[in-house]
Amino acid sequence: MTTPVPRVRREEVRRRLLDAAAEVFAERGYEAARLDEIAHAAGFTKGAVYSNFAGKPALLAALIEQQARKQLLVGAVEVRAQNRPGAVLDHLAEVVAREIVEQSTWSRLHVEIAQRAAHDPEVRETYVDVRRSLRDQLATTLAAGCARLGVELTVPAEQLALTLQALRLGLALEHGTDPEQVDRATVTSVVASTLRGVLRGHTQSTVDPWRDSA
């Protein structure tokens, strides 16, 4: 008698598919990447992809959401670790700039799927839910951080979250096109200026603005 092959848990299948997709998308881009290639890299058949994701747009959207939430969490932790409340906006801008410049593959995929969503209803329907979810989380984080700093936003938190989403996408596109002029220092300055422009009453408070927001 042969020993039954242990069934891989659904969570593990999904994780391996996302890890494989990250590698394939990074190497080949969204358009050229094939689902059978991703499935093979994860050690499964193409059917495993469709058992966990509606298709290639849903797979990339899930991957981007996972990465974006991870970056938001890491950024919040790093800002706390600096323990520089008076410079929190500058440091937050540095974190965002680093993500854009050093995570160039993710920035390229963001731009690629956003451009595709503008012309492909299937991609748009899948990606818009992810963008809205991330925007809502960012708005909540921004509102909580401002409350702890004792500052007031001059625009609704939801509007600032949308502004930062659009700014990140635009800066990623500009950096990818012209990295010499739109370098890390320039990106940091643009993000910091944008944040200062929508805040009123910024103090040197020693309160940790991100303590409960991650």
Side-chain angles (χ1 to χ4, degrees):
M1 295 179 63
T2 59
T3 303
V5 178
R7 183 176 180 180
V8 182
R9 292 186 304 172
R10 186 178 183 86
E11 295 79 6
E12 176 65 10
V13 174
R14 184 180 175 89
R15 183 191 66 77
R16 285 166 56 178
L17 286 171
L18 287 171
D19 288 346
E23 295 179 5
V24 175
F25 281 133
E27 180 181 351
R28 300 177 60 82
Y30 177 80
E31 291 291 343
R34 302 195 315 272
L35 291 183
D36 57 349
E37 184 180 10
I38 292 171
H40 178 75
F44 302 111
T45 64
K46 190 175 179 180
V49 178
Y50 285 108
S51 294
N52 289 270
F53 304 96
K56 191 163 72 167
L59 179 57
L60 179 56
L63 194 60
I64 286 177
E65 181 175 23
Q66 179 188 73
Q67 181 67 13
R69 292 188 187 282
K70 178 182 177 182
Q71 290 176 343
L72 181 61
L73 176 60
V74 170
V77 170
E78 289 186 0
V79 170
R80 288 203 305 266
Q82 286 292 315
N83 195 27
R84 295 186 299 155
V88 66
L89 297 185
D90 289 330
H91 191 210
L92 184 58
E94 290 168 4
V95 170
V96 174
R98 184 194 65 204
E99 292 173 359
I100 292 174
V101 174
E102 295 184 4
Q103 302 286 333
S104 58
T105 296
W106 287 105
S107 296
R108 175 174 56 79
L109 288 172
H110 271 281
V111 172
E112 189 174 358
I113 194 174
Q115 291 174 329
R116 180 68 180 268
H119 306 286
D120 188 326
E122 181 186 3
V123 176
R124 184 186 310 121
E125 182 178 359
T126 301
Y127 190 49
V128 71
D129 289 338
V130 170
R131 296 294 288 177
R132 288 175 179 174
S133 176
L134 293 174
R135 189 159 61 241
D136 289 345
Q137 182 178 353
L138 179 57
T140 299
T141 299
L142 289 168
C146 288
R148 288 179 175 81
L149 271 176
V151 299
E152 179 184 354
L153 285 172
T154 60
V155 297
E158 295 78 12
Q159 182 176 326
L160 177 55
L162 176 60
T163 299
L164 291 176
Q165 266 192 338
L167 186 63
R168 189 192 187 288
L169 200 61
L171 286 172
L173 180 60
E174 293 297 333
H175 172 72
T177 304
D178 186 8
E180 292 185 1
Q181 190 166 66
V182 187
D183 57 9
R184 182 167 173 170
T186 300
V187 173
T188 301
S189 178
V190 170
V191 175
S193 298
T194 300
L195 290 172
R196 289 196 184 90
V198 296
L199 292 178
R200 182 164 47 223
H202 184 212
T203 67
Q204 299 294 319
S205 168
T206 59
V207 176
D208 173 10
W210 313 104
R211 182 173 54 201
D212 301 319
S213 60

